[in-house]
Amino acid sequence: MTPTLAYPLIFVLSYLGVWIIRRYTVLDHPNERSLHSTPTPRGGGLMIVLLVTAAGLWAVYEAGFDKLNLSAFTRGLIYIVCGLVIAWLGWRDDLH
């Protein structure tokens, strides 16, 4: 995927993600510890996580999955799984 295609795709998907979050009212309401004074959408980075995961899968494929290079495939999958776990922990932290 070239940067010419990736950057507009990230922009559109991030905008779409924020729209969905606002639509389903996943908002962070300010309290005494907040840095913001108006309700702010939570989870805006979700689309970025999805795109990075998709890019990681593409990189794994390009690194040799089609050539049965299982070492590169395994390293790529470990990277993707770790990234998804970190994203899930961040989401859980946002919710609680």
Side-chain angles (χ1 to χ4, degrees):
M1 181 178 297
T2 65
T4 309
L5 180 61
Y7 296 136
L9 188 60
I10 290 171
F11 176 78
V12 168
L13 288 178
S14 294
Y15 184 80
L16 178 67
V18 170
W19 179 82
I20 289 170
I21 288 169
R22 285 186 177 159
R23 168 103 166 91
Y24 292 103
T25 61
V26 182
L27 296 175
D28 184 18
H29 296 282
N31 58 30
E32 64 276 352
R33 293 182 19 192
S34 299
L35 293 175
H36 55 279
S37 58
T38 60
T40 304
R42 282 193 276 184
L46 181 61
M47 290 300 153
I48 294 172
V49 169
L50 292 175
L51 276 174
V52 168
T53 302
L57 288 171
W58 181 260
V60 165
Y61 176 76
E62 289 294 320
F65 177 65
D66 58 339
K67 300 173 188 79
L68 293 177
N69 183 354
L70 295 180
S71 175
F73 180 71
T74 304
R75 284 193 308 262
L77 280 182
I78 290 171
Y79 166 77
I80 291 167
V81 168
C82 289
L84 289 174
V85 167
I86 291 169
W88 180 77
L89 289 172
W91 176 254
R92 295 289 299 161
D93 182 55
D94 278 351
L95 292 179
H96 298 292

